[in-house]
Amino acid sequence: MSVENRTVSATTDPPAAPELAPADDWNPITVTDYPAEYRRLRAERPVAFTSDYDGFWGVMRYQDVQKGSRDWRTYTSGQPFVEFPEFMKSIPIQANPPVHTFFRKFLSQYFTADRVAMLVPDIEEVVAHNLDPLVARGGGDMIEEFGRIVPQQVLAKFMLLGDDAWEAMADSLARADAVRHDLAKHREVNKTLWNPTVEALIEDRRANPQDPAIDVMSGALLLEPDGRPITQEELVALGVQIFSAGADTTTAAIGSIVGHLGRHPEAQRELRDNPALIPTAIEELLRLAPPLHQVGRHTTRQVSSHGREIPEGVKVGLNVYSANRDEEKFDRAEEYVADRSPNPHLTFGHGPHQCMGSPIAREELRATLTQLLARTSSFELTAEPVSNGRPLRTGWTNVPVRFS
C-alpha cells in the first residue's frame, strides 16, 4: 500500500468491516504497479478482500466481472464507486430495475446514432479549436490545455448550454481535484458537486424550454415517459448523472492515448501509415487503460466464488481493469495490438449499466487522434506524464508533448 493511500485512509473514520472479514488479500496501490498486482490476483485470488475504503471484495477475472455486471439481482447498484460511500445522488447509475429501466428508456432517445451524428460537427470544431494553439507553438500539455477542456465543451454543446458554460463546469471539477489527496474532503465535495449547476439549468429550462426531442433536460421537464412526470429530485439526479459521467473519464482516456503514442513512435507510424486502424487502436487503449478500475456493487445474498464466501450486504468492486487484461479472454492480453478485433473490453461497462454516453466519448477520441495525427508529422513526450494520484483510477494530471 502506498504512503499516499495510508495517509488518505487515516483521514477517514470508516465503519466496521464486514463480520468475520478475512485478512487483507491486497491493498490499492500506485498506478505503475496495477498490471502486475492484478495479474497476481487473477492467478492467486480471483476474489480478493481489502480493508481499504471501508472494506470491499474485488472480482478480478473477465468472466466473473461480466457475469456480475449483468446480475443486478445479486450485485445491486447504489454505490457506483467503492471509495465514495455517499456519492452524488445520480440516476440511472445508482438505480436498479424497474426504476433504472424507466430512466434508461427515457434517456435512450437522446443517445441514438442520429443524435450523436448531429453532435459530430461540434465535436470536430471543439477539437480543432483547442488543438490549433498547441500545434501553432509546437506542443503543450495535453491535459491542462486540451483534455480538461474538450469534454466539457462537448458536453455543453450536447446540453445546449452557452459558449462559456464549460468554464463553470471545469471550475467544479477543479474544486474536487484540489482535494483528491484527502479522501475525507474529496468524499464531502462529491456529495453535491454538480447540484448547483444542475439546479440552475432546471430553472432555466422551466423558463426557457428547448426542443424536448433533442434537449434532455427540457424533455425531462415537459415529457411524461410512460405517463408519469419526473420529480424535481429525479430531475436533479438525472442531471448530476449526465454532468458527472462526462466529467473526467474522457479526459483520462485522452491522456492515456496521447501518453502511449508519445512513448511509442512505432505505434504512431503504424496509425499514420494506416489511418483506418484509428478506431481499433482507440478501443485497444481503452481496454488497456480504463479510466475507472472498479464498478461498485453490493451483494443481496451470500455468494460462493472461487472457494471464497462473499457475505450478503457487503461492498463489491467488479474490477474492469483486471478483467480487460485477463489472459483467458484476450490473446496477448498485456500487449497493445492496434488491429485487435473483436475487442469485447468492459471499459464502458456491461449489462444494464453499460455507458449510454460511450458513442459521444468515442467520437471525441476519434476526432482528437485523427486531427492530432493529420496535423503533425510526429509527437513525443517531453517528460513523463504526472499521475493524477487517484487510487483505483487511470489518468494523468499532466501529459507534456512536443509536436513536429
Side-chain angles (χ1 to χ4, degrees), residues 89-103:
K89 182 65 176 175
S90 306
I91 293 177
I93 194 172
Q94 290 174 304
N96 296 284
V99 173
H100 175 272
T101 307
F102 171 84
F103 282 102

Side-chain angles (χ1 to χ4, degrees), residues 107-175:
L107 286 170
S108 64
Q109 64 189 300
Y110 300 101
F111 294 92
T112 63
D114 287 345
R115 179 69 178 92
V116 174
M118 288 174 57
L119 194 62
V120 168
D122 287 328
I123 293 173
E124 296 282 1
E125 181 183 357
V126 165
V127 168
H129 176 75
N130 287 283
L131 199 55
D132 282 345
L134 296 177
V135 172
R137 70 171 186 266
D141 191 324
M142 287 297 290
I143 295 296
E144 285 293 333
E145 299 176 273
F146 184 89
R148 292 189 189 278
I149 300 170
V150 167
Q152 304 311 312
Q153 291 185 347
V154 171
L155 181 58
K157 297 283 188 182
F158 175 73
M159 298 296 289
L160 306 185
L161 303 177
D163 290 341
D164 59 350
W166 72 271
E167 295 177 0
M169 294 152 58
D171 286 344
S172 295
L173 286 176
R175 187 158 57 89

